[in-house]
Amino acid sequence: MARMNIRQRTELEMKEDLNANAAKRSAVSIDNKSSYEEIYANETVLDTQVTRSHKGTMTSGPNVSETLFYSLAAVCLGLLCVLLLAAVTVLCFTFITETNQLQTSYTNLTTEYEELQTSINNLIAERGQLQTTYNNLTKEHHVLLKSLSHLGSGEVKYPTVKQEKTIVS
């Protein structure tokens, strides 16, 4: 209630000052410069009165603890950003290194695969040659046995594993 009375009184004083200023303005003197200065002097008084009357309701800005809290929060967020940037950089470097190692491994395995494929093809060709040689030797063996049986009395001993190259006629 006391605040209302102070506020009403301040408003009344302001109105009176405005009315006084209006009265001064209406009584224009020959010297405009002095009346101009008087008007602005009264306005300065008015601003001072308004500031004093609202002093209790005005805030003085952020509290020191709030400022400290926001500063710490900003520092923490900045540090987290720096750590995140460092982690991303390390992960990119690791990814690039592993990718290069995998590419090298792939190239080496491809070369080894091609060498093994060449070896397999060579072994297949060699097996074919050995098979052909075996078939030719088998045919020659049969031809020799036939010609041997025609030459002799008819009794021919076929060579066994123990009797290599022994033929009795």
Side-chain angles (χ1 to χ4, degrees), residues 84-100:
L84 182 64
L85 181 64
V88 167
T89 304
V90 167
L91 286 175
C92 284
F93 179 74
T94 305
F95 176 76
I96 289 170
T97 304
E98 286 183 10
T99 303
N100 289 340

Side-chain angles (χ1 to χ4, degrees), residues 22 26 58 73-74 102 144 153:
S26 63
M58 293 177 63
L102 287 173
L144 287 174
S153 61

Side-chain angles (χ1 to χ4, degrees), residues 77-140:
L77 286 175
L79 287 174
L80 284 175
C81 289
V82 168
L83 287 174
L84 182 64
L85 181 64
V88 167
T89 304
V90 167
L91 286 175
C92 284
F93 179 74
T94 305
F95 176 76
I96 289 170
T97 304
E98 286 183 10
T99 303
N100 289 340
Q101 287 176 350
L102 287 173
Q103 184 65 38
T104 304
S105 269
Y106 175 76
T107 304
N108 291 341
L109 287 173
T110 303
T111 304
E112 188 177 344
Y113 171 79
E114 290 171 354
E115 289 172 357
L116 288 173
Q117 193 66 38
T118 304
S119 290
I120 288 172
N121 291 340
N122 290 341
L123 288 173
I124 289 172
E126 189 177 343
R127 184 187 72 183
Q129 290 173 352
L130 288 173
Q131 187 67 42
T132 304
T133 304
Y134 174 77
N135 291 340
N136 289 339
L137 287 174
T138 305
K139 286 179 187 177
E140 190 177 329

